[in-house]
Amino acid sequence: MVAIPGADIPVVHTPADDKPGFWARWFYSTNHKDIGILYLIFGIFSGLLGGFLSFMMRMELATPGIDVFSSEHTYLVFVTMHGLIMIFFMVMPALIGGFGNYFLPIMIGAPDMAFPRMNNLSFWLLPVALICLLISFFVPGAAEGNGFGGAWVMYPPLSTTGSPGPAFDFIIIGLLAAGFSSIFGAINFITTILNMRAPGMTMHKMPLFAWAMLVTAFLLLLALPVLAAALFMLLTDRIEGGTAFFDPARGGDPQMFQHLFWFFGHPEVYIMILPAFGIVSHIVSTFSKKPIFGYLGMAYAMVAIGVVGFVVWAHHMYTVGMDVNVKAYFVLATLVIAVPTGVKVFSWLATMWGGSIRFTVPMLWAIGFIILFVVGGVTGVMLANAGVTTYLHDTYYVVAHFHYVLSMGAVFGIFAGWYYWYGKMFGHHYNGFLARLHFWLFFIGVNVIFFPQHFLGLNSMPRRYIDYPVEFEFWNMVSSWGAWITLASVAVFFVVLIEAFLMRNKRRVGNNYWGEGATTLEWTISSPPPYHQFSVLPRIDAGDSDPHEEVDEAYARREGDSA
Amino acid sequence: MRALNAMSSTIGAGLVAALSGVAAFAQDAPSGLNEFGPEPKGWFLQDAATPVMEELIVVHNLVQIIITAIVLFVFLLMAYILIRFRESKNPVPSKTSHNTLIEIVWTVVPVILLVIIAIPSMNLLYKQDRLPETEMTVKVVGNTWNWLYSYPEYENVEEWVSNPLDETQAREVGQPYLLATDAPLVVPVGTKVKVLVTSVNNMHSWAVPSFGVKMDAVPGIINETWFEVFEEGTYYGQCSEICGVRHYYMPIEVKAVSKAEFARFIAAGGEPEDKFAQLNDGGGAVVSAND
């Protein structure tokens, strides 16, 4: 990858860099770094909320019988909201809004995002959306109680005639707001990446995180309008005497919603994991002190995953009664995704091969990510087979699979990025021992939760059950012990944050606190970065060709553009 | 234990034999009743009761062996790299970032593995989905929250409702709670049965794991699938598509009987077997089958 001569990049701090007052800075902010921090805070808050919901579910499931929840409906509301909150309000804001906003402009040598005000809008739509979701807890959903209990997939007729109350309307409004937030964010990222790279930074010299964000932004841009359309159709279907897109009694088709939902839903899983791929690539490269192995293969593997990710959606619907030839196509297309994913995993291993590996905290998370992502990935190969999935569909095997790639994949990516860039964002370091404790507790905790769920699924325990036959008791209890361990790790995480904040003046960090190996542009500027970085655009070393010539050309091209 | 035996015959006895020993003692069906369903502490697929499920287990095991090998390979390679190339052992990193040969290898080898998986997987899929000449038909209708069963070919048998047994009733008849019903679907063994599945309100999914059958019940659409049960017994399943608050409380019970007994059952008008008859004989509380 690109070697950056740090000394060449002037960092000028002028009075113009002075930050606005508290209210203007955090509420009207158009600065990509401030918005990134807001996204991260929002993600942490939503993570706690979604984590609380899942903890209550695990407590209920620890033993057979209904003993924690007062009503079955409330349990389903928790299931539904856990999924929606974790996906739309924790993983996406943290990975895309948080790290994407903060580091993408810096990595490509841009002073800010292309549309700073739209960036502000993207963020502030999210709290509105979350408030709508929270309101839905407390307004009537179905006849059985408050809140919407139709799972995050929202299949009609359960989400139309089955949930007549306003709770689900609030969820639709909230998800539409979150969806538009993501679409605006995607437009912003695409424009920034395509137009605002520093002179000399060609597409093929962009850091892999920028590539990941580019592919993610295109997936968002193409997938979320489909969700928005499906949600609007649900909304009008829900009106008494309204439309009948999904109502078979009036010529509609409930399966049509599933196709629309998963046409969004499957790219969505790559939206959640691709930024984590990018982060892990940087961390593995930094702490192996080696350039990433097979850079182009890595970048185009993500493009391939993104493209193929759009044509495999119906593998979520193997049991709905599709024609066997259609199923056969989706089996084969889904299996194909294993190839670019394999390229990524082996390229990470090859990056480490021959390196000089330092076991820093972010490296632990990145190694954990690779290991657990492989486990989650191979169960995906199992589930791709429609024949076998006839047995496994809607069992805990599926729950285990997607939590291995999300609760361990995406979340490990988030924590890896957090501990990698913590010093860069806040200017001080955390306590290494506490951070390692957090890692090990979390690593053990989530594995104890989710590995036994494979067994439950193989033994055929269905998902979204508040109560189950006694045969499933043992592994459910083990899984619930894991929830306690994970709870402890979350507590340690907050101890890390508080301790680091209290000790902030004693642990100041410099520009490049990871040293050799950290080669991207964010390591050339101060920690935390100046309020407006790159008032003079950095020049990117052109590698094998003559750098001066190429930079001159870049400048000439820019001047030509603006003339 | 057929599932486990299939597994052990594919990957060799040692480890699995030990593990199946653990699982085997856990299975204690009520005396005289051949029950198929989840096993206590079960960690593997349920036993096969149909030819489709037998093949499903074979495909599962093949894929499981391949993915286990991949995971072990990655784990061991990772462990080797982390030990061999740690900073203290290897202070000077190499700068290699390309090797065309190895990149081709790690693209082509997964493709070969996927082809190895895809062929039996396709065979299973078509066997499962393409209906053979079936000998009889049952109609399954999902309702919130119970199942309606009928035989379109036997008009003298009225459609009946299969409700779950509550905890007390299940204990009385010695069947597992949340799996047992008051009036199971009755089918003959050794017969290819076509199943038509639909719903009258929310979506449901009619699933009998040991048959390798799971078919969504969608309002306005009639899905079809099939099974052929090997031996007499009681087979349990559970609703597998979220359908509302009682999603967990609409189990599926299928009773496979001999062909002769099934003929008697049909001739008698398909009166569902009253599990509570002997309890009620003693003048105890009358438990309505369809309560």
Side-chain angles (χ1 to χ4, degrees):
Chain A
M1 253 187 0
V2 197
I4 289 123
D8 286 2
I9 299 161
V11 179
V12 188
H13 190 84
T14 66
D17 285 343
D18 287 342
K19 301 169 180 68
F22 179 83
W23 181 263
R25 179 175 181 194
W26 296 108
F27 288 85
Y28 308 152
S29 185
T30 55
N31 183 299
H32 72 101
K33 292 185 287 291
D34 287 352
I35 293 175
I37 298 290
L38 286 174
Y39 266 114
L40 287 171
I41 294 169
F42 183 81
I44 291 172
F45 173 77
S46 309
L48 284 179
L49 196 62
F52 163 75
L53 299 176
S54 60
F55 186 77
M56 294 307 289
M57 282 147 57
R58 275 299 358 138
M59 291 304 103
E60 171 60 60
L61 293 172
T63 51
I66 301 174
D67 31 42
V68 173
F69 284 83
S70 54
S71 95
E72 298 128 329
H73 181 72
T74 311
Y75 176 82
L76 289 179
V77 173
F78 273 44
V79 172
T80 308
M81 301 307 271
H82 167 70
L84 291 174
I85 288 175
M86 285 303 204
I87 290 167
F88 289 96
F89 300 96
M90 193 277 277
V91 173
M92 288 171 70
L95 278 177
I96 304 169
F99 296 130
N101 262 309
Y102 202 110
F103 290 104
L104 181 105
I106 301 181
M107 279 184 177
I108 63 171
D112 205 314
M113 295 287 281
F115 307 119
R117 281 172 198 280
M118 191 160 82
N119 208 7
N120 174 292
L121 176 64
S122 288
F123 174 73
W124 286 105
L125 276 172
L126 275 185
V128 175
L130 185 60
I131 288 167
C132 285
L133 261 75
L134 294 180
I135 290 173
S136 88
F137 270 105
F138 304 104
V139 297
E144 294 84 4
N146 290 344
F148 171 65
W152 88 287
V153 295
M154 307 175 277
Y155 288 168
L158 185 56
S159 62
T160 52
T161 51
S163 309
F168 187 53
D169 298 308
F170 276 102
I171 290 181
I172 292 181
I173 305 290
L175 291 183
L176 285 172
F180 281 110
S181 155
S182 295
I183 292 171
F184 295 148
I187 292 170
N188 220 337
F189 281 120
I190 293 171
T191 316
T192 308
I193 294 170
L194 294 185
N195 295 294
M196 292 178 64
R197 279 169 286 123
M201 178 163 290
T202 58
M203 291 295 276
H204 284 174
K205 282 181 193 157
M206 263 193 338
L208 281 175
F209 182 66
W211 267 104
M213 288 305 302
L214 182 65
V215 178
T216 304
F218 270 105
L219 295 184
L220 283 169
L221 190 67
L222 296 172
L224 276 162
V226 179
L227 175 71
L231 288 172
F232 265 120
M233 291 157 90
L234 270 186
L235 198 60
T236 53
D237 261 24
R238 287 168 55 76
I239 298 167
E240 188 110 29
T243 55
F245 294 112
F246 310 126
D247 177 7
R250 291 188 285 155
D253 180 0
Q255 287 181 354
M256 190 63 206
F257 178 82
Q258 300 185 23
H259 282 287
L260 290 173
F261 180 83
W262 287 112
F263 188 84
F264 144 80
H266 197 74
E268 173 69 20
V269 307
Y270 296 111
I271 287 166
M272 289 188 276
I273 201 68
L274 285 177
F277 282 175
I279 292 172
V280 167
S281 297
H282 285 231
I283 292 170
V284 166
S285 162
T286 299
F287 298 111
S288 306
K289 296 186 198 153
K290 269 185 67 190
I292 197 81
F293 187 94
Y295 166 82
L296 281 182
M298 287 292 251
Y300 284 98
M302 287 193 281
V303 175
I305 291 172
V307 171
V308 183
F310 266 105
V311 292
V312 297
W313 74 90
H315 66 213
H316 298 266
M317 305 163 53
Y318 282 146
T319 63
V320 302
M322 281 183 296
D323 183 79
V324 65
N325 295 321
V326 179
K327 282 200 265 190
Y329 158 73
F330 280 106
V331 171
L332 298 174
T334 306
L335 288 174
V336 165
I337 291 192
V339 176
T341 314
V343 168
K344 294 206 69 81
V345 169
F346 290 120
S347 294
W348 285 321
L349 292 175
T351 305
M352 287 193 253
W353 186 278
S356 181
I357 298 169
R358 290 161 65 200
F359 295 96
T360 59
V361 175
M363 188 64 171
L364 288 181
W365 287 98
I367 293 167
F369 171 94
I370 297 171
I371 289 176
L372 299 177
F373 187 78
V374 168
V375 175
V378 295
T379 54
V381 173
M382 176 72 83
L383 288 167
N385 298 290
V388 180
T389 296
T390 305
Y391 184 97
L392 296 173
H393 177 81
D394 250 36
T395 65
Y396 265 80
Y397 195 89
V398 177
V399 178
H401 159 70
F402 70 74
H403 279 95
Y404 260 84
V405 287
L406 292 179
S407 176
M408 293 144 156
V411 172
F412 272 57
I414 291 170
F415 280 125
W418 177 265
Y419 285 114
Y420 183 55
W421 285 316
Y422 182 88
K424 181 53 69 183
M425 291 189 288
F426 302 108
H428 59 268
H429 234 305
Y430 44 80
N431 180 309
F433 169 76
L434 288 175
R436 275 160 216 272
L437 185 64
H438 172 213
F439 168 78
W440 285 109
L441 281 177
F442 195 82
F443 184 87
I444 294 166
V446 288
N447 276 294
V448 173
I449 295 176
F450 294 111
F451 204 78
Q453 296 188 359
H454 291 113
F455 303 149
L456 288 172
L458 287 171
N459 204 12
S460 194
M461 174 168 166
R463 297 168 68 179
R464 299 165 181 147
Y465 269 33
I466 186 174
D467 195 6
Y468 50 81
V470 287
E471 284 80 0
F472 298 122
E473 179 175 11
F474 179 73
W475 293 118
N476 267 306
M477 195 189 290
V478 174
S479 183
S480 294
W481 294 336
W484 284 103
I485 302 173
T486 312
L487 180 73
S489 86
V490 173
V492 173
F493 175 61
F494 281 91
V495 173
V496 172
L497 295 188
I498 293 165
E499 197 268 354
F501 179 76
L502 293 176
M503 304 291 279
R504 64 192 179 283
N505 291 323
K506 293 188 180 149
R507 291 205 206 104
R508 290 281 164 209
V509 289
N511 288 11
N512 184 359
Y513 50 88
W514 296 126
E516 180 197 356
T519 55
T520 38
L521 279 172
E522 76 267 30
W523 305 111
T524 64
I525 57 180
S526 61
S527 307
Y531 197 58
H532 295 292
Q533 78 274 359
F534 302 139
S535 40
V536 175
L537 291 179
R539 301 164 174 206
I540 308 307
D541 185 344
D544 40 339
S545 62
D546 181 359
H548 299 291
E549 198 178 312
E550 216 167 274
V551 172
D552 288 347
E553 269 174 26
Y555 273 116
R557 197 166 58 238
R558 288 207 148 208
E559 279 161 18
D561 285 352
S562 57
Chain B
M1 289 297 98
R2 200 179 286 122
L4 287 172
N5 293 338
M7 185 81 173
S8 58
S9 64
T10 6
I11 61 169
L15 171 75
V16 173
L19 289 167
S20 65
V22 174
F25 80 86
Q27 189 185 31
D28 55 344
S31 54
L33 201 60
N34 189 9
E35 285 192 314
F36 285 74
E39 288 172 23
K41 296 189 188 179
W43 58 278
F44 200 65
L45 297 169
Q46 293 182 16
D47 293 351
T50 65
V52 166
M53 185 60 191
E54 275 192 329
E55 195 170 327
L56 192 153
I57 291 173
V58 171
V59 176
H60 168 273
N61 291 351
L62 171 76
V63 179
Q64 186 63 51
I65 290 163
I66 292 175
I67 66 178
T68 308
I70 292 171
V71 168
L72 287 178
F73 173 71
V74 172
F75 279 19
L76 294 175
L77 185 61
M78 176 80 102
Y80 175 79
I81 291 172
L82 294 181
I83 294 166
R84 168 74 181 77
F85 298 107
R86 65 187 191 273
E87 194 177 29
S88 54
K89 186 87 185 294
N90 193 39
V92 183
S94 83
K95 289 293 166 199
T96 318
S97 64
H98 296 283
N99 184 328
T100 310
L101 178 66
I102 193 121
E103 291 184 60
I104 290 172
V105 168
W106 71 46
T107 311
V108 172
V109 171
V111 171
I112 295 170
L113 289 178
L114 292 178
V115 172
I116 294 172
I117 291 173
I119 294 168
S121 172
M122 286 295 135
N123 286 337
L124 167 66
L125 178 61
Y126 279 83
K127 179 171 183 178
Q128 194 176 44
D129 213 277
R130 285 271 155 91
L131 266 66
E133 281 298 305
T134 51
E135 295 151 75
M136 66 170 285
T137 306
V138 297
K139 189 174 158 205
V140 177
V141 180
N143 179 31
T144 49
W145 289 274
N146 47 39
W147 296 96
L148 311 167
Y149 296 121
S150 57
Y151 306 106
E153 290 143 357
Y154 306 108
E155 288 177 355
N156 63 322
V157 181
E158 278 182 35
E159 182 175 70
W160 76 93
V161 185
S162 177
N163 273 309
L165 296 183
D166 69 25
E167 218 163 345
T168 329
Q169 292 169 333
R171 205 177 309 118
E172 278 172 2
V173 298
Q175 279 187 283
Y177 172 56
L178 293 174
L179 292 172
T181 66
D182 56 1
L185 174 66
V186 182
V187 293
V189 295
T191 310
K192 295 186 173 65
V193 181
K194 181 200 279 189
V195 190
L196 302 177
V197 188
T198 188
S199 167
V200 288
N201 36 44
N202 290 340
M203 276 183 59
H204 305 272
S205 190
W206 196 77
V208 185
S210 51
F211 290 0
V213 164
K214 183 173 290 158
M215 187 49 82
D216 285 5
V218 186
I221 291 168
I222 297 175
N223 284 325
E224 60 178 24
T225 182
W226 72 284
F227 61 81
E228 178 187 359
V229 192
F230 288 128
E231 49 185 308
E232 294 174 36
T234 306
Y235 302 84
Y236 296 115
Q238 292 167 287
C239 177
S240 297
E241 185 62 68
I242 184 167
C243 56
V245 287
R246 292 263 162 133
H247 175 44
Y248 73 101
Y249 198 62
M250 52 182 297
I252 294 142
E253 183 183 351
V254 180
K255 206 166 175 220
V257 298
S258 68
K259 286 180 179 175
E261 198 178 326
F262 184 74
R264 256 198 317 277
F265 171 76
I266 293 295
E271 201 51 38
E273 175 198 24
D274 188 357
K275 288 178 183 169
F276 308 101
Q278 61 198 56
L279 296 166
N280 294 343
D281 278 350
V286 175
V287 188
S288 161
N290 269 348
D291 188 11

